[in-house]
Amino acid sequence: MTIYQNLIAGEWVGSQTSRNLSPSDTNDLVGLYAQASADDAKDAIAAAKQAFPAWSRSGILERHAILRKASDEILARKEELGALLAREEGKVLPEAIGEVTRAAQIFDFFAGEALRLTGETVPSARPGIGVEVTREPLGVIGIITPWNFPIAIPAWKIAPALCYGNTVVFKPADLVPGCAWAIVDILNRAGLPKGVLNLVMGRGSVVGQALLDSPDLSGLTFTGSTGTGKRVALASIEHNRKFQLEMGGKNPMVVLDDADLSVAVEAAANSGFFSTGQRCTASSRLIVTEGIHDRFVAALTERLKTLTVDNAMKPGTHIGPVVDERQLKQDTDYIDIGKKEGARLAFGGEVLTRDTPGFYLQPTLFTEATNQMRISREEIFGPVVSVIRAKDYDEALSISNDTPFGLSAGIATTSLKHATHFKRHAEAGMVMVNLPTAGVDFHVPFGGRKASSFGPREQGRYAAEFFTVVKTAYTLP
């Protein structure tokens, strides 16, 4: 069977492998993927460091052409790559194809940005002196990505890194090496010089730790758990390294009495349960005011009854499996915690059996929850949602902001007054009005506040804040 190897200094290397199994069917072997060692990671960093001087001074047309070529191939292969994503991560096929399309759009956007690199020429306070403000590449970038968006998140880190002239060492999540390998293969064949992009698949405790320990990384961008994010921060501070963190969320969606019930229910169902709830922007706290509470819970429960949980590749499936056995146990442990805390299990919570062996869990809805319960405070990262009562908008806003996280927040209302107030006062990096809290555009900034994020925003033109350094040059003619 083909072994999908690591890419280091332009060469495919590695013979020690790990089995990539589908969570929809544990008998389905997606592929054998190489496992890098700490020495492999060090070699990749050395290769990126050696490639940096030439690539950082490469022409903008060269960068544009490579990124555009990658975008075109990703889009042309969206069904094939979507099927790979659905098989290895468990996201239903239409969502997987949508994610691949988004990755293509991201590369296309940054292909354009390569042609729009700008600076400033400003007058000096001193007569006769010219001042230029420019942006230059940061250096060697370490990229560590999670398993829940196995092609989109790598795309929105790798594309700007390359666009702005950096070199990359990319470590994907253990559970989803397939999409990572595919995107690196596409970029490699698109014409990247050797060493500009390096792929090191393997254990976080081995490969990830080697990246954290390296003094040769100029920047490290990480998306994943809060605990690991803290380790990334501490290691980066020790090496005086620029770092960027996207971590957890416990995102609220407020539903007011004046909300359009069908809009509110659909937004809540999408936010909390689609992609099996495995999104950092998922809304796992539904804060509902008294006047609509009972009608909303009844309507949402009926909506959940219509959702089919099954193999991600099967037509008609709305929710695929949980990503692996460990994540399934975490979800069911939290369901037990919610019951013991006194929340009412209104729907779901059962582990399901399907035609293929996998990690299937019913969408789970708790009602009569409080914001002090663990199921309302801690990120579960599964299809488990709590409904919290609020007497009015003011209390709902207060509950919404009472969380250590601050990634995304939503409100369902027909009141312009309340929508406007919520957009200003919600303590989150992204706010949605009458929309799911999950689902963002590729060309605008992504990120949160408090314990959810640290450092410059990702995506869009704001990506330059992390992947470049500002230089101010003075000239006396």
Side-chain angles (χ1 to χ4, degrees), residues 263-429:
V263 169
V265 166
E266 200 55 38
N270 183 307
S271 297
F273 302 104
F274 285 21
S275 297
T276 324
Q278 296 174 152
R279 300 183 283 196
C280 56
T281 52
S283 182
S284 51
R285 292 187 300 144
L286 305 177
I287 303 161
V288 187
T289 50
E290 287 283 3
I292 199 173
H293 178 278
D294 292 351
R295 287 185 294 128
F296 173 81
V297 168
L300 180 56
T301 302
E302 290 303 309
R303 178 70 175 101
L304 295 182
K305 292 177 182 177
T306 71
L307 299 179
T308 299
V309 180
D310 210 326
N311 191 309
M313 297 292 290
K314 184 180 289 188
T317 298
H318 300 108
I319 298 174
V322 174
V323 72
D324 69 353
E325 187 173 14
R326 184 173 66 175
Q327 186 63 46
L328 179 61
K329 184 179 187 306
Q330 178 171 304
D331 294 347
T332 55
D333 284 350
Y334 270 108
I335 292 169
D336 289 340
I337 288 168
K339 293 175 183 177
K340 292 174 182 176
E341 288 181 313
R344 185 177 77 86
L345 183 61
F347 184 84
E350 296 296 322
V351 175
L352 303 173
T353 301
R354 292 294 180 258
D355 292 340
T356 51
F359 309 111
Y360 299 104
L361 179 65
Q362 264 187 314
T364 304
L365 183 67
F366 282 105
T367 59
E368 307 307 328
T370 70
N371 205 46
Q372 286 67 49
M373 292 178 177
R374 286 183 63 190
I375 58 170
S376 303
R377 306 297 297 178
E378 301 170 13
E379 186 176 41
I380 300 171
F381 220 65
V384 183
V385 173
S386 303
V387 180
I388 302 168
R389 287 182 186 264
K391 65 176 183 291
D392 55 22
Y393 169 75
D394 289 336
E395 185 178 47
L397 175 64
S398 177
I399 295 170
S400 171
N401 288 334
D402 181 13
T403 173
F405 299 105
L407 183 55
S408 184
I411 187 169
T413 181
T414 55
S415 165
L416 180 60
K417 172 186 173 182
H418 286 137
T420 302
H421 189 274
F422 188 81
K423 284 190 288 184
R424 172 62 184 85
H425 293 277
E427 295 173 1

Side-chain angles (χ1 to χ4, degrees), residues 45 48 138-145 157-158 161 166-171 198 200 208 211-212 214 216-223 232 236 241-244 466-467:
I45 294 168
L138 182 60
V140 179
I141 306 292
I143 293 177
I144 301 176
T145 59
K157 294 179 186 292
I158 293 171
N166 301 282
T167 55
V168 171
V169 179
F170 169 37
K171 185 248 177 281
N198 303 272
V200 280
L211 297 185
L212 266 58
S214 175
D216 291 325
L217 292 183
S218 300
L220 185 53
T221 175
F222 166 82
T223 299
V232 170
S236 296
R241 172 198 302 141
K242 197 173 184 181
F243 62 97
Q244 178 185 58
F466 179 75
F467 291 103

Side-chain angles (χ1 to χ4, degrees), residues 71-142:
S71 171
D72 289 345
E73 181 172 342
I74 292 168
L75 191 61
R77 295 172 58 192
K78 64 180 181 181
E79 282 83 8
E80 172 203 344
L81 295 174
L84 171 63
L85 196 162
R87 283 176 69 202
E88 76 168 353
E89 195 269 345
K91 193 169 295 181
V92 296
L93 185 58
E95 287 185 356
I97 293 172
E99 182 179 334
V100 172
T101 302
R102 180 176 174 184
Q105 292 168 334
I106 291 166
F107 276 101
D108 182 53
F109 177 86
F110 283 104
E113 284 297 279
L115 303 179
R116 292 189 288 265
L117 299 177
T118 60
E120 293 180 274
T121 301
V122 297
S124 172
R126 293 167 288 171
I129 295 176
V131 181
E132 297 170 282
V133 182
T134 56
R135 288 188 176 274
E136 296 186 351
L138 182 60
V140 179
I141 306 292

